[in-house]
Amino acid sequence: MRYATLGEVPPKRHSQVWRSNGSRRLMVEEVLGYEGFSGNESILYHLHSPCRLADVGPFTPIAREEWVPDTHVHRLADTRPIAGGGDALTARRLLMFNADLEVWVAKPDAPMSAFYRNGEGDEVVYVHRGGGVLHSVFGSLPFRERDYVVIPRGTTHRWELDTDPARPEQHWLVFHTPGEIETPNRYRNRYGQLLEHAPYSQRDFHGPAELETIEDDGPHEVVVRVRGGHQAYTLDRHPFDVVGWDGYVYPYTFNAMDFEPRAGRFHLPPPAHQTFQGQNFVICTFAPRMLDWDETAVPLPYHHSNIQSEEVMFYADGDYAARKGVDVGCITLHPSGLPHGPQPGAVEKALGARHTDELAVMWDTFRPLRLTPLWREVDEPSYAYSWNPDRTAAPHA
Ligand SMILES: [Fe+2]
């Protein structure tokens, strides 16, 4: 991210900052940074020490139950029937995971009673449906449908959900990684600025809009994800007591419709759609776009065997021409070891098309993914046979 600042920061780091209300009390400076003191960082100025605790609550391990299917096949799941309910943290239901990535489906419908901080990973929330404001120690960050909301680890925050009765639904994909969420190296110059040919610019990334400095005695609950679980704490001060911050680490949004899609005379491969890079995975955005324009072009993906990755696609909007029977809200999993491509008839149907209105979010992991019982609940086993019009039965699990 680029350098940003909100509120009051002193002209020199690690120098005296006095509260402006004449109380002659020093502000508390906190450096929040990656890779020890060598990675990106921000510096925040608090009214009180962020270490201060009133009480230590319980530790609750995160259960990551695995469903091991009997068979290794291409899979389709529908996230629409997945039950919602709860706040932005408790509504999360784990769909798949490996050592580099967890993917949760969340349909929150309640305000958060506690603040949340992820102490062991970065998070990206793709907002399929819904909107609201992410309140954090860095300020308020509005979010809306089709936003990726990127939250660096260490960010104390709370989600406020839109209460528009006409659009009550929230339907999110939540990605957690112990690594970092970044824009791909190849989009940036040696100074970190996004290149002219990147599919987005710094203007498409939106940081916190307004600082929220709250002087409040509490008590306030904070839940921190650490050591594979959630540790609860009680604070006797509001955690949003920051009067100013600056640096390169803060939550931000990027809207999928701001991804400037690339097309070619002939078909371009998925890396043309890459949006983020992570530890052994990528996240890509297939945005509405012009299609391959040579008169002999096949404007759909060619069959491919991604022999070193698992490919997962969430269909977010429009009509994805390469897939039959896959609706908005569905997810396909094309695992390693198996080739995949357009279903029968899809290529012929697509010939001559010059535009697609599809919107899809894809994550490719370089190590195998494990599924959970939630996937089993919404699994569509006939998908494995969908390339064979003569075979529709599904005697596998
Ligand atoms: Fe693919």
Side-chain angles (χ1 to χ4, degrees):
M1 279 298 96
R2 60 183 166 176
Y3 175 83
T5 184
L6 277 180
E8 304 167 39
V9 296
K12 296 296 286 183
R13 297 169 301 156
H14 324 316
S15 62
Q16 298 172 22
V17 190
W18 297 93
R19 290 186 60 172
S20 53
N21 63 0
S23 65
R24 293 300 292 166
R25 270 183 44 205
L26 280 168
M27 307 292 291
V28 180
E29 183 184 58
E30 177 196 9
V31 173
L32 187 157
Y34 286 77
E35 296 177 31
F37 293 89
S38 303
N40 279 346
E41 68 173 33
S42 285
I43 302 180
L44 304 100
Y45 294 88
H46 295 266
L47 296 175
H48 304 280
S49 167
C51 312
R52 182 173 167 138
L53 295 177
D55 204 359
V56 179
F59 176 83
T60 311
I62 297 171
R64 297 202 307 183
E65 191 182 348
E66 184 180 359
W67 169 51
V68 183
D70 293 337
T71 54
H72 183 81
V73 292
H74 294 314
R75 293 192 177 274
L76 168 66
D78 188 348
T79 66
R80 290 171 297 182
I82 291 175
D87 66 31
L89 184 60
T90 60
R92 296 177 176 192
R93 300 190 65 194
L94 186 61
L95 189 65
M96 56 179 63
F97 64 96
N98 66 14
D100 305 308
L101 188 67
E102 295 171 3
V103 184
W104 306 67
V105 176
K107 299 179 180 178
D109 63 1
M112 295 177 78
S113 55
F115 296 90
Y116 172 61
R117 180 165 77 233
N118 194 327
E120 60 181 7
D122 286 3
E123 295 187 0
V124 184
V125 175
Y126 177 73
V127 181
H128 174 52
R129 298 280 182 261
V133 180
L134 179 81
H135 298 277
S136 83
V137 71
F138 293 99
S140 57
L141 178 65
F143 67 96
R144 61 191 169 102
E145 203 161 284
R146 300 174 174 173
D147 270 348
Y148 295 95
V149 186
V150 179
I151 309 173
R153 71 197 63 206
T155 301
T156 305
H157 63 278
R158 180 151 71 181
W159 295 85
E160 178 190 343
L161 308 177
D162 269 351
T163 53
D164 181 357
R167 310 189 70 189
E169 188 188 8
Q170 304 275 345
H171 184 160
W172 305 349
L173 299 174
V174 181
F175 301 90
H176 159 95
T177 175
E180 295 180 40
I181 296 293
E182 304 170 304
T183 53
N185 292 347
R186 68 178 190 279
Y187 294 167
R188 290 184 258 126
N189 67 20
R190 68 182 186 277
Y191 305 102
Q193 185 174 12
L194 289 165
L195 293 161
E196 273 292 310
H197 62 262
Y200 40 55
S201 82
Q202 265 87 8
R203 298 178 194 180
D204 298 317
F205 294 82
H206 307 283
E210 197 174 340
L211 194 61
E212 297 175 278
T213 308
I214 301 172
E215 173 80 299
D216 176 14
D217 285 348
H220 295 285
E221 303 298 318
V222 180
V223 173
V224 183
R225 177 170 172 164
V226 285
R227 295 187 301 149
H230 290 136
Q231 172 68 57
Y233 302 95
T234 304
L235 310 183
D236 62 355
R237 294 283 186 273
H238 197 291
F240 298 171
D241 67 344
V242 169
V243 299
W245 63 268
D246 75 336
Y248 287 72
V249 177
Y250 50 87
Y252 61 88
T253 61
F254 171 74
N255 194 271
M257 298 303 283
D258 283 330
F259 189 91
E260 299 304 332
R262 298 291 181 259
R265 193 156 69 94
F266 292 95
H267 201 70
L268 297 179
H273 307 279
Q274 188 177 352
T275 309
F276 298 108
Q277 68 184 18
Q279 170 183 295
N280 294 322
F281 70 92
V282 299
I283 296 177
C284 300
T285 305
F286 290 74
R289 62 194 181 278
M290 300 302 292
L291 289 171
D292 324 314
W293 55 81
D294 190 272
E295 61 180 23
T296 67
V298 176
L300 287 185
Y302 32 84
H303 281 72
H304 45 286
S305 290
N306 1 15
I307 51 179
Q308 261 188 326
S309 64
E310 312 261 299
E311 186 182 305
V312 192
M313 180 88 87
F314 175 77
Y315 301 87
D317 203 358
D319 181 21
Y320 194 73
R323 297 271 162 266
K324 285 194 300 188
V326 176
D327 292 327
V328 169
C330 289
I331 295 182
T332 52
L333 166 61
H334 299 130
S336 50
L338 304 175
H340 68 278
Q343 265 116 353
V347 169
E348 292 80 356
K349 198 172 147 198
L351 294 181
R354 291 292 175 265
H355 183 267
T356 177
D357 63 354
E358 75 182 29
L359 177 67
V361 174
M362 186 181 80
W363 52 103
D364 279 13
T365 64
F366 306 149
R367 296 197 280 186
L369 282 161
R370 299 167 190 272
L371 301 178
T372 67
L374 178 62
W375 184 289
R376 181 177 54 199
E377 279 179 34
V378 291
D379 188 59
E380 175 44 71
S382 64
Y383 182 68
Y385 294 110
S386 61
W387 284 266
N388 183 351
D390 303 324
R391 179 75 156 82
T392 54
H396 67 82

